[in-house]
């Protein structure tokens, strides 16, 4: 699978023309985490799990974990949890906005504290458990 194949599919579904500027996996993942990218993916349930599975070898380095089994991450600013992935995400960094996208039946637990701010996009039937010390903000 090539970046151009993914972008062609997105453009056919009505993605913004600016999306065509993604030329490599890094820029494609960057688009995924933008407000417009998150909105497009949520509204269109895109990319499909099959497309994500084809992208898997290319996107983990940029925070998108597809069928990754059990993982634990701390203070990662951009995280995509996709498919058969069960993630424990810990956030206590209050110096940036953390963006988390869950898609295609992923499971995640978010442990939030110390005034951390997490923007969570849950697409579909993902199971999300939030443990908040009372100071963190979870934006959905």
């Amino acid at each position: 699978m090539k970046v151009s194949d993914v972008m062609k599919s997105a453009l056919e579904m009505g993605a913004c023309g600016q999306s065509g500027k993604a030329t490599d996996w890094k820029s494609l993942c960057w688009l995924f985490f933008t407000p417009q990218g998150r909105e497009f993916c949520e509204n269109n349930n895109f990319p499909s799990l099959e497309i994500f599975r084809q992208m898997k070898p290319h996107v983990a380095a940029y925070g998108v974990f597809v069928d990754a089994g059990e993982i634990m991450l701390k203070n990662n600013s951009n995280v995509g949890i996709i498919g058969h992935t069960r993630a424990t995400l810990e956030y206590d960094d209050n110096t940036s906005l953390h963006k988390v996208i869950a898609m295609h039946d992923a499971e995640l637990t978010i442990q939030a504290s110390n005034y951390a701010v997490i923007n969570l996009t849950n697409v579909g039937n993902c199971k999300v458990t939030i443990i908040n010390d009372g100071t963190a903000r979870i934006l959905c």
Side-chain angles (χ1 to χ4, degrees):
M1 167 146 297
K2 298 177 184 174
V3 171
S4 59
D5 297 333
V6 177
M7 294 315 307
K8 181 180 177 190
S9 296
L11 290 167
E12 287 172 357
M13 296 178 77
C16 162
Q18 296 293 331
S19 301
K21 293 183 179 179
T23 58
D24 58 19
W25 295 107
K26 183 177 182 178
S27 59
L28 181 69
C29 290
W30 179 84
L31 282 173
F32 183 55
F33 291 107
T34 65
Q36 298 85 354
R38 291 190 316 266
E39 180 181 20
F40 175 79
C41 292
E42 183 174 21
N43 291 342
N44 295 284
N45 200 25
F46 182 85
S48 68
L49 184 54
E50 179 57 35
I51 291 173
F52 269 120
R53 286 180 172 151
Q54 292 176 43
M55 294 168 39
K56 178 180 177 174
H58 310 287
V59 296
Y62 306 109
V64 181
F65 299 91
V66 181
D67 294 338
E70 294 209 23
I71 62 172
M72 296 180 74
L73 302 170
K74 182 171 182 175
N75 291 323
N76 293 57
S77 289
N78 293 324
V79 178
I81 306 298
I82 315 297
H84 295 106
T85 305
R86 185 176 299 153
T88 300
L89 308 175
E90 182 180 343
Y91 291 100
D92 62 5
D93 173 14
N94 59 23
T95 63
S96 66
L97 172 65
H98 306 284
K99 292 165 270 189
V100 177
I101 303 171
M103 293 181 74
H104 303 299
D105 299 318
E107 295 182 33
L108 55 148
T109 299
I110 297 174
Q111 299 171 343
S113 62
N114 193 39
Y115 300 94
V117 179
I118 299 106
N119 188 324
L120 171 64
T121 303
N122 183 350
V123 181
N125 297 323
C126 299
K127 180 181 176 188
V128 178
T129 303
I130 297 172
I131 303 167
N132 186 340
D133 75 348
T135 64
R137 288 275 189 191
I138 312 294
L139 310 170
C140 298

